[in-house]
Amino acid sequence: MNPPDALPLERDVATLIVNTLRLKIDPAVIDPEQPLFREGLGLDSIDALELSLAISQTYGYELRSNDPDIKTIFASLRDLCGAIDKNRTK
Amino acid sequence: MNTAPLIALYQPDDILAWEGASPIIARQFLSDVLECADRLPTATAVLNMAQDRYRFLIGLAAAILRRQVTLLPQSTAAKTLADIAARWPDCYCLTDGLDTPVRLPVFHFARGSASVASRFMIPAIPLDQPVVVAFTSGTTGAPSANTKTWKALVNVAHDTGACLGLGGANRPSIIATVPQQHMFGLEASIMLALQHGCAVYTGRPLFPADVGTALEQVPAPRILVTTPLHIKALVAHSAALPSIDRILSATAPLPKELACEAERAFQTQVHEIYGFAEAGSVAARRTTQEDVWRPLDGISMAQEGENWVVRAAYLPKPVPVPDHISVHSDHTFALHGRRTDQVNIAGHRASLIQLSQRLMEIAGVEDGVFFIPDEGGEAMTTRLIAFAVAPGKRIEDIRTALRSLIDPVFLPRPVFLVERLPRNATGKLTREALVKLADECRRNGHRGL
């Protein structure tokens, strides 16, 4: 189950990640603070690209590699949701 | 001695590379290469892991001048690199970063500022000189080495260029989203550019917005060397992009519909390349207009027993085709999917048998197997599933162990821990049994990460 402090946006984005990447897991098992890439979910740059497409379509937020915060944006579900919340246009 | 020039169709002040929006001219490039060649350690082989395309290119060219062969591992998994290092004992690692995942002597290459020589003499490289070694996953588990001579690289560059109409005054800027250490990336970004007087973009854009920036930084005409997944993301991208004259796609079959959308959206021509590391680029097609593949000049497909092989004057021996094909009387051919044991993810190929062997090498894993699940039609990227019988081990232990053994693209998602594998009376695992097992695991709520 989700830890009690999972926010609504985090639940939505967890579902978006699972559906986009066809992870075949329950979105609720994604710990908002565990790493998304390499360790934790073990995602890679192919996932980053697929995810960026889903994020831009759902939230109108375009990711860029030369964003100085790109490493922290993808650090965890919570960090990603923070960035989406700040930059979303829909 | 037969030779071909290191770079072709450049005048000294022609632009050879774009570092962002800053041009690097051919004269500067040759000076950088000569300076680097002077500083390289003495060895027979170099593992070139430079992330920046220009630094990779300088390292490659300098190694060619020093007659060192450049090793292009298919994977940066520690185990793969260690296997390779064991076969070239005097090999060193050229890197522009800080972390080297393998214990080798390191040559750190931050581009110096070689003073630009006034002389402009393009080195001639013997055609039979071995230049790079591309590794593929062998069936025995150890990576097998495919040596490419300068002739092989130059020929493929000329044939691909002919298919894109390069040469003469047509000298576009080339932007690639694919890594230069991958055979297609090397052939279609670096070799294609350098044999046709083109300017290569030194970055490697990932997201559509990055590709947009790269396109803005270089002058038209532009060629984008990329993959179906990047094309899908670009087509969905809302912002307008600068003009793209040609898109060259490889690593996975490009759906015709997507190729049509891309041609409409960018007013461009989409060309596709079929190839694999053992042979390099083999055939091409204009995806929107033809379903079949045309072998590149000098390539022929021949039947040997039940299998097809690729023949070319620059290949030392015929190379088996890893996919099922049917060849037509006009020499074009159709692809009918990979052979059953083969998997291709983002242009990385491996055999399921080999991946399963690696899984079983992990201490505590008594039995294990990888398989390819059925994906819906819209999935652009296949991902694997693995089952392991490993009493007392956690899924996370297995994932961590696999990370150092296999290429990250093949990391299974999920890994299911099971009590036993559904082996039949002869010890075989049928696909049906594995599909059923995966369904059971999911229904029983296996966490599976």
Side-chain angles (χ1 to χ4, degrees), chain B residues 24 61 117 213 232 255 265 302 321 331 351 370 374 384 390 400:
Chain B
I24 299 170
T213 304
K232 186 184 169 202
V321 179
H331 306 298
S351 95
F370 272 74
D374 281 320
L384 304 177
T400 305

Side-chain angles (χ1 to χ4, degrees), chain B residues 49-399:
Chain B
M49 304 205 27
Q51 292 302 302
D52 175 89
R53 210 174 292 269
Y54 187 67
R55 291 190 196 122
F56 172 88
L57 171 53
I58 296 292
L60 173 72
I64 292 173
L65 295 190
R66 289 284 301 272
R67 300 214 165 208
Q68 298 177 3
V69 68
T70 295
L71 308 177
L72 302 172
Q74 192 200 35
S75 143
T76 54
K79 173 85 170 98
T80 310
L81 296 182
D83 283 349
I84 290 171
R87 279 205 257 169
W88 276 270
D90 73 344
C91 147
Y92 64 97
C93 175
L94 184 151
T95 173
D96 56 357
L98 294 175
D99 53 334
T100 42
V102 63
R103 290 173 72 174
L104 284 179
V106 169
F107 178 73
H108 274 289
F109 184 51
R111 181 157 75 92
S113 40
S115 50
V116 180
S118 53
R119 252 169 100 236
F120 184 73
M121 208 174 76
I122 296 173
I125 312 299
L127 287 172
D128 60 2
Q129 182 180 330
V131 172
V132 299
V133 177
F135 293 90
T136 44
S137 60
T139 42
T140 56
S144 56
N146 305 278
T147 303
K148 311 282 173 185
T149 58
W150 184 240
K151 182 178 182 183
L153 294 186
V154 169
N155 273 35
V156 168
H158 287 166
D159 296 346
T160 313
C163 140
L164 293 170
L166 298 190
N170 185 15
R171 295 160 54 171
S173 315
I174 297 183
I175 293 168
T177 65
V178 289
Q180 55 271 16
Q181 278 90 353
H182 187 279
M183 208 49 212
F184 171 60
L186 177 70
E187 288 179 336
S189 66
I190 287 176
M191 287 306 298
L192 185 66
L194 297 193
Q195 292 299 311
H196 293 94
C198 302
V200 58
Y201 187 74
T202 67
R204 184 180 154 202
L206 173 66
F207 301 121
D210 303 336
V211 175
T213 304
L215 290 167
E216 280 160 18
Q217 287 178 323
V218 304
R222 306 175 184 92
I223 293 182
L224 181 64
V225 175
T226 191
T227 75
L229 184 60
H230 288 87
I231 295 176
K232 186 184 169 202
L234 276 176
V235 165
H237 181 67
S238 45
L241 293 175
S243 67
I244 308 172
D245 284 71
R246 295 282 187 280
I247 293 178
L248 193 60
S249 174
T251 71
L254 178 65
K256 192 168 196 164
E257 224 168 86
L258 182 55
C260 292
E261 280 182 67
E263 290 207 348
R264 258 199 315 274
F266 310 122
Q267 296 292 302
T268 188
Q269 281 185 21
V270 177
H271 293 261
E272 221 183 330
I273 294 280
Y274 171 72
F276 40 92
E278 292 89 336
S281 299
V282 167
R285 67 174 175 182
R286 174 93 185 272
T287 318
T288 53
Q289 296 179 0
E290 49 200 345
D291 295 324
V292 295
W293 296 88
R294 281 170 286 106
L296 297 176
D297 284 349
I299 293 251
S300 64
M301 316 301 280
Q303 201 157 18
E304 280 190 1
E306 295 199 344
N307 298 321
W308 287 93
V309 294
V310 175
R311 287 200 176 130
Y314 55 79
L315 291 172
K317 56 177 197 267
V319 180
V321 179
D323 296 292
H324 290 295
I325 63 168
S326 55
V327 179
H328 307 132
S329 55
D330 63 353
H331 306 298
T332 62
F333 63 92
L335 279 178
H336 305 292
R338 59 178 178 259
R339 299 226 294 263
T340 42
D341 176 51
Q342 294 284 316
V343 55
N344 176 356
I345 302 180
H348 297 243
R349 285 173 187 271
S351 95
L352 290 175
I353 294 170
Q354 188 214 340
L355 291 171
S356 302
Q357 276 171 354
R358 286 276 151 102
L359 173 61
M360 283 189 272
E361 281 167 19
I362 299 171
V365 174
E366 294 172 0
D367 200 358
V369 69
F370 272 74
F371 96 113
I372 309 172
D374 281 320
E375 298 277 9
E378 63 182 278
M380 294 289 284
T381 315
T382 307
R383 296 293 189 168
L384 304 177
I385 287 182
F387 298 101
V389 180
K393 295 287 257 185
R394 293 178 311 144
I395 288 169
E396 195 42 51
D397 302 334
I398 293 174
R399 288 185 58 85

Side-chain angles (χ1 to χ4, degrees), chain A residues 22-25 38-39 41-50 52-53 57 62-66 70 74, chain B residues 206-210 213 229-230 233 236-238 346 373 375 379 381 383 399 403 408-409 413 442 447 449:
Chain A
R22 306 174 304 281
L23 290 182
K24 304 181 179 82
I25 55 165
R38 287 189 61 81
E39 287 78 30
L41 278 191
L43 307 186
D44 57 27
S45 71
I46 303 167
D47 299 309
L49 183 56
E50 291 201 75
S52 77
L53 181 56
Q57 283 167 345
E62 291 270 0
L63 288 155
R64 281 176 182 273
S65 302
N66 61 2
I70 190 73
F74 274 131
Chain B
L206 173 66
F207 301 121
D210 303 336
T213 304
L229 184 60
H230 288 87
H237 181 67
S238 45
E375 298 277 9
T381 315
R383 296 293 189 168
R399 288 185 58 85
R403 205 167 280 137
V409 297
R413 45 173 74 164
R442 250 173 251 146
R447 195 168 154 273
L449 264 179

